[in-house]
RNA sequence: GGGCGGGUAGCUCAGUGGUAGAGCGUCUCGCUUACAACGAGAAGGACAGAGGUUCAAUUCCUCUCCCGCCCACCA
């Protein structure tokens, strides 16, 4: 045995992983009982970031532990087509060539995205493999696999037949750059200064005015009513009267609705159902007309004097006219929250469109019930309130998107009239309304998250795979709790009659040491691959596990990775000590006091680690192991071996071997390497060993 | 407006109703035959602030102030 005094991970890590891959295969695992974990599929646009690294490393620790505890690990890897995100990236590529997606046309554009996917989509998988994690790579799934698509379509149809999916013309969030509607969760609100314009609306047949305040005066062109709070005695006298919309002179009925907050603004609102989500809801109750005045390009429509102006130009012109007519009472600078597109950062417009919606009330109740009944456990527990809170006041989910990259709705529109049919294959029958047979597939695609919501069961393609539902656990970042986790819960319960997982572990968000968000564009990102190159995979794993807590954030400190690097060497040298000191094993003797002590310390440590891994306290488990190994074992016991001739070398070997087994869930490369040396067994791997028992 | 997390050594964080701990950093001394990616030792903290409960509070309760996050239609 010829070992240098330094552990050199570089040569070892790359070779070992290739050997492990076949051990990860589900068919090659001998254990009987399943332990099933759900992988959050990364986007095909993505590059490995710290969040991925942390999430998958932690889950890998748990799964390696479970496997050694006797479970067959089911961990299916996958990638997500990520509709808007991917389309945006490819559009950006096109822009470099001076092209837009419209220059290519839909078909050609989609081809380009597929090309892009083939070229770059697997990068993320290769990067995931760098983490040393143990999913079965032979069963990789993609959200645009044929069978996956089939699940999504069938789910849509099942909801539709249940009466929960409907098509409607209504105000929705719209991104003018992406040219698509968005759900409430895909917006990013920024606090900004804005101008509150106080505008006087004359009361018909009187000299009186009432004043409303708005930050978007251009939308007044679409006003159809004014509304007060029914309990607001100041304005009750106006109830039922008619106000005249300035400039346009449209007659506006003054109505009452308790959604109006008397304390905000002047306590009176203008009702613009076309361009405000609340106003739309008010208009439903009062049967008001929708008058769209801003189109998908942000230009004014339907109003002669303003036709074709951008909404900003219209705003300027309107304010000017109001000033001239003495109808602008005042302007006030306020700070308010303004919605931007979460993907591309463009200012959101609310405009009315024909879209597809999923009724949420029943589904929300399904999810609520299972969370409240503790069929699903959030860890830490406080995170369940994020879900429950969202479900409590949820709106129907706009699931159609007008982008190109994604999965088309299984809807066929009649080319002749306004009829449509919901089904997977092109209808053969004639349209019942117009008796023609001209059907065209919808060009609308699904909200990516509709598809991701089905992930836990839509990735199960064969009868054998179908047994892998429900899963035991999912690890997630907290920013997609509702976007993804909550939606998987109700989808799973509805389609599979069981919640998709028992435990939801919410890991901290990785921030910079200064507490800033890690972001490439801000230059604050740290690339896990750089750290792997600089130290080693095991060191990265050690450092991330070390720093994990159940707090909301993790301020990343590279020194923890360094500690992992040093620890590798410590463990390596402990083994070296054994090999040098005891090249041949003598017959066993009685145990010394020191022997007994270290055995008892080991047993305590083992117990502590088991409890803490089961409870997902990864860093506590690792720190305990570190402390035991470095202080109790190396500094005390091994040191004592140098002098105490009474110590039993078998104890020394035993502790090392069992420690390597424990260490293998945290630092699998180092452990396997050392274990093979000390055991003199080639092609045997710790992942197939049993978790240590009390010595 | 509502909710949540945090404020402990220079940095990142553990921790407990009874005179404060780790990793990294700093200082001193050691290349002693597993390891200088190491060892021995040291410095360094009114545990955000105020009040309360208690024999005793960093730890429990209340309030305040900072930092961060989430939700909500604030027109």
């Amino acid at each position: 045995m010829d070992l240098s005094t330094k552990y050199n991970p570089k040569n070892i890590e790359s070779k070992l992983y290739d050997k492990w891959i076949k051990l990860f295969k589900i068919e090659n695992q001998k254990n009987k009982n399943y332990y099933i974990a759900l992988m959050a599929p990364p986007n095909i646009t993505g590059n490995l970031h710290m969040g991925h690294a942390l999430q998958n490393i932690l889950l890998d620790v748990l799964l390696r532990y479970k496997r050694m505890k006797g479970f067959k690990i089911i961990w299916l890897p996958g990638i997500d087509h990520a509709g808007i995100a991917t389309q945006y990236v490819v559009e950006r590529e096109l822009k470099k060539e001076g092209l837009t997606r419209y220059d290519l046309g839909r078909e050609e554009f989609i081809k380009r995205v597929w090309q892009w996917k083939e070229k770059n989509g697997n990068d993320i998988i290769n990067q995931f493999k760098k983490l040393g994690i143990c999913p079965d790579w032979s069963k990789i799934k993609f959200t645009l696999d044929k069978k996956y698509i089939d699940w999504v379509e069938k789910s849509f149809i099942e909801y539709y037949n249940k009466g929960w999916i409907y098509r409607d013309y209504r105000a929705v969030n719209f991104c003018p750059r992406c040219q698509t509607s968005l759900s409430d969760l895909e917006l990013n609100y920024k606090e900004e200064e804005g101008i509150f314009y106080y505008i006087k609306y004359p009361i018909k047949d009187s000299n009186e005015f009432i004043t409303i305040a708005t930050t978007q005066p251009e939308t007044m062109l679409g006003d159809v009513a004014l509304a007060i709070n029914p309990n607001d005695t100041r304005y009750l006298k106006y109830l039922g009267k008619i106000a005249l919309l300035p400039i346009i002179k449209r007659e506006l009925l003054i109505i009452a609705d308790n959604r109006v907050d008397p304390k905000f603004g002047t306590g009176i609102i203008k009702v613009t159902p076309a361009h405000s989500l609340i106003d739309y809801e008010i208009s439903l109750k009062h049967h008001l007309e929708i008058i769209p005045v801003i189109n998908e390009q942000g230009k004014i429509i339907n109003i002669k004097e303003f036709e074709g102006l951008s909404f900003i130009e219209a705003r300027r012109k309107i304010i000017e006219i109001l000033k001239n007519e003495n109808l602008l009472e005042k302007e006030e600078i306020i700070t308010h929250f303004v919605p931007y597109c979460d993907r591309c950062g463009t200012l959101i417009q609310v405009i009315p469109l024909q879209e597809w919606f999923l009724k949420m009330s029943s589904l929300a109740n399904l999810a609520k019930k299972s969370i409240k009944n503790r069929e699903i456990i959030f860890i830490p527990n406080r995170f369940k309130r994020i879900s429950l809170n969202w479900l409590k006041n949820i709106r129907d989910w706009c699931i159609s998107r007008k982008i190109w990259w994604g999965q088309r709705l299984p809807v066929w529109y009649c080319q002749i009239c306004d009829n449509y049919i919901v089904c997977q294959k092109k209808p053969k029958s004639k349209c019942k309304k117009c008796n023609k047979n001209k059907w065209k597939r919808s060009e609308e695609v699904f909200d990516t998250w509709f598809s991701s919501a089905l992930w836990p069961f839509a990735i199960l393609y064969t009868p054998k795979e179908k047994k892998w539902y429900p899963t035991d656990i999912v690890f997630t970042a907290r920013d997609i709790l509702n976007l993804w986790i909550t939606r998987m819960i109700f989808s799973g319960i509805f389609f599979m009659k069981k919640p998709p997982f028992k435990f939801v572990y919410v890991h901290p968000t990785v921030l910079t040491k200064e507490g800033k968000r890690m972001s490439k564009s801000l230059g604050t990102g740290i690339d896990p691959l750089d750290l792997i190159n600089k130290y080693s995979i095991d060191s990265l794993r050690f450092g991330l596990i070390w720093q994990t807590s159940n707090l909301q954030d993790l301020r990343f400190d590279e020194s923890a990775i360094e500690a992992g690097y040093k620890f590798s060497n410590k463990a390596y040298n402990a083994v070296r000590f054994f090999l040098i000191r005891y090249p041949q094993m003598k017959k066993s003797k009685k145990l010394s006091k020191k022997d007994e002590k270290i055995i008892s310390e080991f047993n305590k440590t083992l117990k502590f680690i088991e409890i803490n891994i089961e409870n997902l306290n990864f860093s506590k488990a690792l720190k305990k192991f570190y402390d035991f190994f470095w202080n109790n074992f190396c500094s005390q016991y091994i040191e004592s071996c140098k002098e105490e001739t009474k110590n039993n070398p078998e104890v020394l070997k035993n502790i090392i071997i069992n420690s390597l087994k424990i260490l293998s869930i945290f630092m699998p490369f180092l452990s396997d390497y050392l274990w093979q040396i000390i055991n003199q067994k080639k092609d045997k791997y710790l992942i197939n060993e049993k978790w240590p028992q009390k010595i």
Side-chain angles (χ1 to χ4, degrees):
Chain A
M1 200 59 52
D2 193 21
L3 293 174
S4 79
T5 58
K6 304 276 187 286
Y7 172 60
N8 184 357
K10 288 284 171 300
N11 305 329
I12 293 150
E13 291 188 342
S14 56
K15 283 180 201 155
L16 262 177
Y17 197 72
D18 291 339
K19 302 214 165 161
W20 287 348
I21 284 183
K22 62 175 182 294
L23 310 179
F24 300 157
K25 286 185 78 164
I26 293 164
E27 297 78 38
N28 293 342
Q29 297 184 45
K30 292 195 182 102
N31 296 330
K32 277 199 184 130
N33 295 326
Y34 291 146
Y35 191 83
I36 310 172
L38 196 61
M39 179 183 281
N43 292 351
I44 54 175
T45 55
N47 270 311
L48 185 72
H49 57 65
M50 280 299 190
H52 292 133
L54 178 70
Q55 178 174 96
N56 288 284
I57 286 168
L58 293 178
L59 183 48
D60 187 67
V61 172
L62 177 68
L63 295 181
R64 283 174 183 270
Y65 170 80
K66 289 284 181 189
R67 179 151 168 185
M68 291 175 86
K69 273 284 191 179
F71 289 93
K72 185 191 280 243
I73 300 306
I74 314 290
W75 191 16
L76 300 176
I79 40 179
D80 192 321
H81 71 279
I84 297 178
T86 307
Q87 171 153 337
Y88 179 54
V89 169
V90 176
E91 283 188 84
R92 237 177 17 200
E93 293 290 308
L94 280 179
K95 206 175 171 187
K96 288 179 194 161
E97 302 167 32
L99 295 172
T100 70
R101 65 170 150 132
Y102 302 102
D103 296 330
L104 294 189
R106 182 174 184 132
E107 228 173 276
E108 202 50 38
F109 178 76
I110 289 175
K111 259 192 212 163
R112 282 291 285 257
V113 183
W114 274 107
Q115 280 168 12
W116 191 91
K117 191 256 167 189
E118 293 312 321
K119 201 163 149 245
N120 304 303
N122 290 324
D123 288 1
I124 187 78
I125 293 301
N126 294 327
Q127 291 174 334
F128 265 49
K129 287 181 180 170
K130 289 271 187 308
L131 301 172
I133 58 176
C134 67
D136 182 346
W137 293 111
S138 69
K139 296 183 181 55
I140 188 157
K141 312 290 180 173
F142 181 43
T143 52
L144 293 180
D145 289 341
K146 259 207 180 101
K147 294 203 168 157
Y148 198 102
I149 285 180
D150 193 53
W151 261 111
V152 176
E153 290 182 346
K154 288 202 166 107
S155 304
F156 178 88
I157 291 167
E158 202 169 329
Y159 279 140
Y160 180 77
N161 291 336
K162 185 98 184 164
W164 289 354
I165 282 188
Y166 61 94
R167 189 167 182 241
D168 194 17
Y169 178 71
R170 64 160 68 173
V172 293
N173 304 303
F174 188 85
C175 172
R177 198 221 63 88
C178 299
Q179 284 291 304
T180 183
S181 45
L182 297 169
S183 73
D184 296 333
L185 291 178
E186 291 164 298
L187 312 181
N188 182 13
Y189 284 88
K190 287 187 195 159
E191 192 173 13
E192 278 181 2
E193 271 194 356
I195 300 173
F196 225 12
Y197 297 96
Y198 286 76
I199 301 169
K200 296 198 285 188
Y201 285 50
I203 305 276
K204 193 182 175 189
D205 302 327
S206 86
N207 297 326
E208 285 186 84
F209 295 92
I210 49 183
T211 304
I212 60 97
T214 179
T215 55
Q216 294 169 284
E218 67 279 10
T219 63
M220 70 190 285
L221 300 174
D223 285 359
V224 295
L226 298 182
I228 61 169
N229 186 294
N231 301 318
D232 190 346
T233 50
R234 291 177 298 172
Y235 298 128
L236 276 181
K237 56 182 173 182
Y238 297 124
L239 194 57
K241 294 205 170 161
I242 304 287
L244 288 175
L245 179 59
I247 307 175
I248 310 293
K249 312 286 190 257
R250 187 182 300 142
E251 295 196 348
L252 308 174
L253 182 62
I254 299 170
I255 59 175
D257 193 292
N258 45 24
R259 269 170 279 215
V260 180
D261 179 359
K263 283 185 282 269
F264 189 78
T266 61
I268 305 179
I269 66 166
K270 60 192 212 45
V271 181
T272 322
H275 300 291
S276 153
L277 299 183
I278 335 148
D279 293 12
Y280 171 75
E281 282 162 19
I282 293 175
S283 79
L284 279 185
K285 208 169 95 186
H286 300 271
H287 308 289
L288 302 170
E289 196 187 346
I290 299 178
I291 304 178
V293 296
I294 301 172
N295 69 6
E296 285 100 317
Q297 278 71 43
K299 299 244 163 93
I300 303 296
I301 51 169
N302 291 336
I303 306 291
K304 248 190 190 160
E305 309 95 287
F306 298 90
E307 189 92 34
L309 294 182
S310 76
F311 71 94
I312 289 287
E313 291 163 345
R315 182 181 299 179
R316 256 185 244 125
K317 188 165 169 187
I318 285 169
I319 293 303
E320 199 176 308
I321 297 174
L322 291 175
K323 273 184 185 159
N324 290 339
E325 296 190 6
N326 236 343
L327 292 174
L328 187 65
E329 192 175 297
K330 62 171 173 174
E331 295 175 29
E332 185 182 285
I333 291 179
I334 55 156
T335 55
H336 61 156
F337 286 87
V338 184
Y340 288 87
C341 175
D342 198 29
R343 283 298 159 191
C344 75
T346 304
L347 182 66
I348 294 296
Q349 288 288 340
V350 173
I351 59 175
L353 290 171
Q354 283 279 3
E355 296 287 358
W356 291 85
F357 296 87
L358 176 57
K359 273 191 195 164
M360 288 308 303
S361 55
S362 306
L363 289 170
N365 282 334
L366 289 179
K368 259 189 265 182
K369 221 171 93 191
S370 75
I371 295 171
K372 281 187 181 157
N373 293 344
R374 298 182 62 78
E375 289 164 34
I376 294 172
I377 310 284
F378 285 77
I379 302 165
N381 187 45
R382 67 185 125 95
F383 287 109
K384 78 173 174 199
R385 298 190 29 206
I386 293 184
S387 260
L388 288 173
N389 194 29
W390 182 62
L391 291 166
K392 205 167 72 192
N393 28 7
I394 194 166
R395 264 202 214 112
D396 285 353
W397 178 9
C398 176
I399 53 170
S400 50
R401 296 287 176 274
K402 297 198 186 303
I403 55 171
W404 290 349
W405 175 244
Q407 184 179 343
R408 288 202 193 181
L409 302 188
V411 174
W412 302 82
Y413 293 109
C414 176
Q415 296 282 80
I416 310 299
C417 65
D418 61 351
N419 200 11
Y420 58 81
I421 292 183
V422 172
C423 61
Q424 289 185 279
K425 292 220 172 93
K426 187 169 187 170
K428 294 200 174 113
S429 57
K430 288 180 177 172
C431 171
K432 279 182 185 156
K433 271 196 190 172
C434 66
N435 215 22
K436 294 274 162 36
N437 192 353
K438 285 208 155 185
W439 299 105
K440 195 183 172 203
R441 178 98 191 221
S442 161
E443 298 206 326
E444 299 146 295
V445 302
F446 281 99
D447 177 359
T448 304
W449 294 104
F450 182 90
S451 142
S452 321
L454 313 178
W455 180 258
F457 52 89
I459 52 174
L460 307 177
Y461 298 157
T462 65
K464 195 176 140 202
E465 290 185 347
K466 288 200 188 344
K467 286 186 206 147
W468 302 334
Y469 186 96
T471 68
D472 289 287
I473 198 163
V474 62
F475 280 36
T476 185
R478 83 190 124 81
D479 57 346
I480 55 171
L481 274 172
N482 290 329
L483 224 38
W484 192 48
I485 297 290
T486 310
R487 283 166 171 171
M488 279 194 289
I489 293 174
F490 62 67
S491 309
I493 298 172
F494 179 74
F495 290 110
M496 304 297 283
K497 312 300 167 217
K498 277 181 195 163
F501 27 72
K502 172 88 185 152
F503 295 102
V504 178
Y505 174 77
V506 185
H507 60 76
T509 304
V510 185
L511 302 179
T512 66
K513 205 172 168 186
E514 292 73 34
K516 296 256 163 60
R517 201 162 254 298
M518 278 199 183
S519 136
K520 242 196 251 162
S521 53
L522 294 175
T524 52
I526 296 174
D527 188 343
L529 297 174
D530 289 346
L531 292 167
I532 289 173
N533 283 333
K534 187 168 169 190
Y535 301 96
S536 66
I537 304 177
D538 280 338
S539 307
L540 174 71
R541 291 174 61 110
F542 179 102
L544 285 175
I545 299 162
W546 183 271
Q547 296 184 71
T548 298
S549 69
N550 64 1
L551 302 182
Q552 65 175 11
D553 299 321
L554 182 166
R555 293 191 177 200
F556 180 77
D557 187 346
E558 195 173 318
S559 70
I561 313 282
E562 208 181 316
Y565 193 58
K566 289 185 177 178
F567 186 69
S568 311
N569 204 49
K570 192 70 181 176
Y572 172 89
N573 274 293
V575 170
R576 225 176 127 249
F577 171 82
F578 172 75
L579 296 173
I580 293 170
R581 238 357 136 86
Y582 305 98
Q584 270 131 24
M585 205 46 110
K586 290 180 204 146
K587 283 282 165 207
S588 65
K589 323 183 273 187
K590 265 178 71 181
L591 299 188
S592 72
K593 281 234 169 81
K594 296 269 163 65
D595 289 330
E596 278 166 6
K597 190 177 172 207
I598 194 66
I599 287 172
S600 125
E601 300 276 8
F602 175 83
N603 289 336
K604 264 193 268 173
T605 303
L606 178 68
K607 185 82 196 155
F608 183 93
I609 290 170
E610 283 178 12
I611 291 170
N612 280 285
I613 294 288
E614 300 274 0
N615 290 327
L616 310 180
N617 288 322
F618 299 104
S619 73
K620 275 190 192 167
L622 176 61
K623 281 173 182 169
K624 179 72 184 177
F625 179 79
Y626 178 93
D627 179 51
F628 163 78
F629 194 84
W630 199 301
N631 296 322
N632 299 344
F633 184 57
C634 292
S635 297
Q636 290 168 30
Y637 183 74
I638 288 190
E639 285 305 319
S640 80
C641 285
K642 292 176 183 171
E643 289 142 28
E644 277 287 349
T645 48
K646 281 185 281 181
N647 282 356
N648 187 334
E650 279 189 355
V651 171
L652 177 61
K653 183 174 180 184
N654 213 356
I655 298 284
I656 290 180
I657 284 182
N658 283 298
S659 292
L660 289 175
K661 286 182 182 173
I662 296 174
L663 183 62
S664 75
I665 65 175
F666 304 113
M667 305 179 90
F669 294 96
L670 168 73
S671 320
D672 250 355
Y673 173 69
L674 294 177
W675 186 72
Q676 288 188 0
I677 289 174
I678 199 167
N679 246 357
Q680 296 181 315
K681 285 178 187 165
K682 273 194 178 163
D683 299 323
K684 288 258 184 182
Y685 301 90
L686 282 166
I687 198 165
N688 284 331
E689 291 297 302
K690 290 258 175 302
W691 182 257
Q693 304 253 318
K694 244 177 107 175
I695 299 175

